[in-house]
Amino acid sequence: MVRIQVRLTLLFVVIVTLVLAISGSYTQYNLGKDLEAGSQRLREGVLTRLQTSLPSALWDLDKSKVDSIVAAEMLPPELVGIRVYDSSVGLFSGKMRDAAGHIVALVSEVPVEGAAVEASLVFRDSVAVSATSKPVTVGKVVVNFSRAQIDASLAAEIRRKLIEVLLLDSILVAALALSLRIIFDPLKQLRDGLVDLATRGSDEVEELPDNRRDELGDVIRGFNAVQRKLKSIIERIRDAEDAARRSEQQTARAMDDLRLAQESLLQSERLASLGSLVAGVAHEINTPVGIALTSASVLKEATDAVFIAVSEGNVKKSDILRYLETAGESARLIMNNAYRAAHLIHSFKQIAVDQVSEARRHFELRDYIGEVVSSLQPTLKKTRIAIDIVCPEDIMLDSYPGALAQVLTNLTLNCVEHAFDADTEGKIEIGVCADGAWIEMRVSDNGKGIRADMLDKVFDPFVTTRRGQGGTGLGLNIVFNLIVKQFGGTISVSSVLGRGASFIVRIPRETPLAAGEPEALAVAPGAGEGA
């Protein structure tokens, strides 16, 4: 408020000063013109009188008369010197004004201050009647004029104007200081009230006195009304904040419960995947083991029969040949099915270990994808879906094979369950290409595709098109979390309805260490291969 008051005062002072300065300059200009015109008239009058009165006195060489004429003309203070020269004698008479302002006679040629004006003195004989008589130049007169009076008058006018400006400015400042207090004192009260309202509790701020009956009183009463309204709003805001705080706490607890439930569901999903793998392995191994057991039983029966015949001593060559044939066939079946069971166990063993553990190790990608696909054969052989693997050799990863197996399993089974109808032929392609320190893996199918309104939601939890038919909606959410959080990569999906879908996964060849994970957790190459 004080700064506004000072600015207003300075503004009015500057305006008044400018107006007075312009007016004074105009007055000064006119005064200068008038003084210059008066000085010019004085010069002309002095010269005219001297040219009229001096020639006859100078013609008669009447020095006393010349001195009296010159002395009479020296009375105006603007004249500082008059010198009369005779055309034959030289300096005839003269007067000058000394430093004290006294008029003294000139006895010799001395310099005289002021602007000099020179005029010729011409004598005309009024008595002569001859037509041949002519005017005679009898001498000259030099008059020195001073501008001191003009300058003094102009300076006095300037001083008068300055005093007038200062006096008016002082009166204006005093008047503004008194008049603006009428406005700014109530405004100061309003300012203090607003500061108190902003810095102190609304309950601690008192209303301003509203006993004025003018426009500022209306403003104060309006401020008090706003203050009362603001107190009411603040009270409601506090209640709302308390309610929001309670709701936030409830939401946080609900989020914790939901997170725990989600983690439980994720764990259940992983365990269910592992259980499905174990069931598939058991089913696949059951056939070769059963055949081997049957062959061993047949071989034992044949061996027991030959042993009895040898013990009784009635063994025949045909019995030995029949036994050898049975033993050979049984040994062949036992060897083939034992090898088949060993191959299945080798394929499934590392996948099962990786899914249970979170160990990190080096592994070759192409072979590992093949092992994962082999672990899915118990499920895939019930369908008419073929899986092609297009992956260059010797792509080594330093990563988490168990998590990668989970990603491949969920993406493949997602295609099997959602892309194709039952008994429908289909094709799933797992393509891999190297991109510097990264790999790009594309899992695509030629199935039904994904609706456009579902593309942005496929990675959200609990989003499924088979709800009520065994779908949980967590498979792709698990994939997303593993790719982004554990591998530090990205996953995207593209699809055209009726023309299949494609999931593009980008992960680094060497998975970054998690925060707080020591270097020792990274298993050396080959570690665990034979576990």
Short mmCIF file of all heavy atoms in Angstrom, two decimals, residues 53 233 334 361 404 476:
data_model
loop_
_atom_site.label_atom_id
_atom_site.label_comp_id
_atom_site.label_asym_id
_atom_site.label_seq_id
_atom_site.Cartn_x
_atom_site.Cartn_y
_atom_site.Cartn_z
N SER A 53 20.97 64.79 -32.56
CA SER A 53 21.46 65.92 -31.74
C SER A 53 22.97 66.15 -31.81
O SER A 53 23.46 67.28 -31.60
CB SER A 53 21.06 65.69 -30.28
OG SER A 53 21.59 64.45 -29.81
N ILE A 233 -16.08 -22.71 4.31
CA ILE A 233 -15.48 -23.60 3.30
C ILE A 233 -14.31 -24.37 3.90
O ILE A 233 -14.15 -25.58 3.65
CB ILE A 233 -15.04 -22.77 2.08
CG1 ILE A 233 -16.26 -22.19 1.35
CG2 ILE A 233 -14.20 -23.61 1.12
CD1 ILE A 233 -15.90 -21.25 0.22
N ILE A 334 13.21 -103.25 -24.23
CA ILE A 334 13.62 -102.62 -22.98
C ILE A 334 14.59 -101.49 -23.25
O ILE A 334 14.48 -100.39 -22.69
CB ILE A 334 14.24 -103.68 -22.05
CG1 ILE A 334 13.15 -104.66 -21.56
CG2 ILE A 334 14.92 -103.02 -20.86
CD1 ILE A 334 13.71 -105.84 -20.80
N ARG A 361 21.70 -68.45 -14.72
CA ARG A 361 22.82 -69.19 -15.30
C ARG A 361 22.94 -68.85 -16.78
O ARG A 361 22.07 -68.18 -17.36
CB ARG A 361 22.61 -70.69 -15.11
CG ARG A 361 21.38 -71.27 -15.83
CD ARG A 361 21.21 -72.74 -15.51
NE ARG A 361 20.01 -73.30 -16.12
CZ ARG A 361 19.95 -73.81 -17.36
NH1 ARG A 361 21.04 -73.82 -18.12
NH2 ARG A 361 18.83 -74.32 -17.83
N LEU A 404 12.14 -67.52 -18.06
CA LEU A 404 11.95 -67.57 -19.51
C LEU A 404 11.06 -68.75 -19.89
O LEU A 404 10.22 -68.64 -20.80
CB LEU A 404 13.31 -67.67 -20.21
CG LEU A 404 13.26 -67.64 -21.73
CD1 LEU A 404 12.63 -66.34 -22.23
CD2 LEU A 404 14.66 -67.80 -22.32
N LEU A 476 -0.97 -63.75 -19.17
CA LEU A 476 -0.23 -62.69 -19.85
C LEU A 476 0.23 -61.63 -18.88
O LEU A 476 1.23 -60.94 -19.12
CB LEU A 476 -1.10 -62.07 -20.96
CG LEU A 476 -1.38 -62.98 -22.15
CD1 LEU A 476 -2.22 -62.25 -23.19
CD2 LEU A 476 -0.07 -63.46 -22.79
#
